[in-house]
Amino acid sequence: MKSILLAVCLTAMACPLFAQELYVNTEPASNMATNSLGLRLENQGYFKPDFKNRSTFEGMYGLSRSVMVHGSLYTSNYYSSGQHFEGGSVYAKLRFLSVDTVQQHFRGAVFAKFSSIDNPIVNQEITLEGDNSGLQSGLVFTQLLHKLALSGSVSYLRAFANRGGYDLPVGQARNAAAYTLSGGYLLLPRKYRDYSQTNLNLYVELLGKANPGKGQSYLDVAPAIQFIFNSTFRLDFSYRTPIYNDMERNTQNMYLIRLEYNLFNL
């Protein structure tokens, strides 16, 4: 019995170290715990030339230690004078690699996303978060080193015609390559005592995309700050800005605010 209690305590003490993998703009290779449910409400947008914003409601569920799924719904005023429902997307991630040691681990996963969107296609960027119908698939790897977590991903996107009769314009890219590099650091607490302590995480993420053969690409930097309360409630703030940009898109110079609540052991 003593050995079981010790194992439970050690596991509980290790869990907060993974907080710095909860990236704001990207997904890590790690998954939610089995039978856990996460609910997100997110708003992101820009202020120039006019204030435009998009809200996302997202549900996440851990099917097993290796598989998790997401479902998202989108509304925005990007393409209209008022907010309107744009469509939705589904996402799945399969973790295929886990190398665990004390306060360290290395994870690898494959992921796929499908979106169905009802919006006119006016931008060069292919993005499945409310702008384009399409498919995305890729690889992500994440390394945890005590309070520092590093993650990188590469993916391929294929755009389809949008619902509502919105075909891809002539000359519009149908294929895109995306890549990310993210770093997260657990700043607080300095010393872990229990789950009720507030976690403060700092992030810097590089977000890039290119349309092969079109001469269209960009690379953004997105610093972020994150608070986690009672190990269940999460608050994110981020702002992404271009390092360089040669693509017409909605995502440049964009703020992000997100609320997330997690339910465990359902």
Side-chain angles (χ1 to χ4, degrees):
M1 178 63 71
K2 289 183 178 180
S3 62
I4 294 175
L5 290 175
L6 177 60
V8 171
C9 291
L10 290 175
T11 301
M13 292 178 68
C15 285
L17 297 178
F18 305 161
Q20 62 271 39
E21 290 184 33
L22 301 176
Y23 302 107
V24 177
N25 293 279
T26 60
E27 282 285 330
S30 301
N31 286 336
M32 300 177 65
T34 303
N35 296 327
S36 296
L37 174 67
L39 300 174
R40 287 178 175 174
L41 181 61
E42 173 183 297
N43 182 263
Q44 55 183 320
Y46 53 85
F47 296 95
K48 295 180 180 179
D50 299 303
F51 176 60
K52 297 284 187 178
N53 70 100
R54 170 175 286 137
S55 295
T56 303
F57 177 75
E58 183 173 5
M60 307 170 293
Y61 189 73
L63 291 175
S64 69
R65 66 187 302 270
S66 299
V67 179
M68 69 178 296
V69 293
H70 296 213
S72 300
L73 299 174
Y74 308 102
T75 66
S76 87
N77 63 349
Y78 286 168
Y79 305 99
S80 61
S81 58
Q83 294 285 330
H84 79 285
F85 176 68
E86 300 174 296
S89 67
V90 291
Y91 169 98
K93 180 171 57 178
L94 170 65
R95 191 180 73 200
F96 63 84
L97 176 66
S98 296
V99 180
D100 297 323
T101 58
V102 178
Q103 295 186 344
Q104 296 185 28
H105 63 229
F106 182 70
R107 303 276 166 83
V110 295
F111 63 89
K113 188 170 189 174
F114 169 77
S115 69
S116 178
I117 304 298
D118 179 6
N119 270 326
I121 302 172
V122 299
N123 291 306
Q124 295 173 334
E125 181 185 17
I126 299 171
T127 170
L128 307 188
E129 291 73 46
D131 296 298
N132 293 91
S133 298
L135 285 170
Q136 181 179 13
S137 61
L139 288 166
V140 55
F141 293 94
T142 302
Q143 173 74 68
L144 175 72
L145 300 167
H146 190 37
K147 291 189 175 186
L148 175 68
L150 301 172
S151 188
S153 73
V154 292
S155 62
Y156 164 78
L157 296 95
R158 174 73 175 183
F160 306 145
N162 282 357
R163 290 186 292 108
Y166 297 114
D167 293 328
L168 287 162
V170 176
Q172 171 76 23
R174 295 177 178 269
N175 306 288
Y179 55 95
T180 69
L181 179 62
S182 303
Y185 186 78
L186 178 64
L187 188 64
L188 295 174
R190 297 291 187 182
K191 185 176 181 180
Y192 177 71
R193 296 189 307 272
D194 56 61
Y195 279 134
S196 65
Q197 288 176 279
T198 299
N199 284 19
L200 173 60
N201 299 301
L202 302 179
Y203 298 94
V204 175
E205 301 184 76
L206 297 176
L207 313 170
K209 198 172 285 182
N211 295 336
K214 300 293 184 179
Q216 301 161 355
S217 64
Y218 71 81
L219 178 65
D220 288 352
V221 60
I225 186 170
Q226 179 184 81
F227 299 91
I228 301 176
F229 305 98
N230 295 319
S231 298
T232 57
F233 183 74
R234 171 178 158 188
L235 177 61
D236 298 340
F237 299 96
S238 177
Y239 188 83
R240 61 188 290 178
T241 189
I243 296 175
Y244 69 84
N245 180 63
D246 187 22
M247 187 181 293
E248 295 177 9
R249 57 194 176 106
N250 288 325
T251 53
Q252 60 181 329
N253 299 314
M254 176 177 284
Y255 73 85
L256 182 152
I257 302 172
R258 178 188 295 130
L259 303 175
E260 178 180 322
Y261 187 74
N262 290 279
L263 301 167
F264 300 102
N265 300 317
L266 294 179

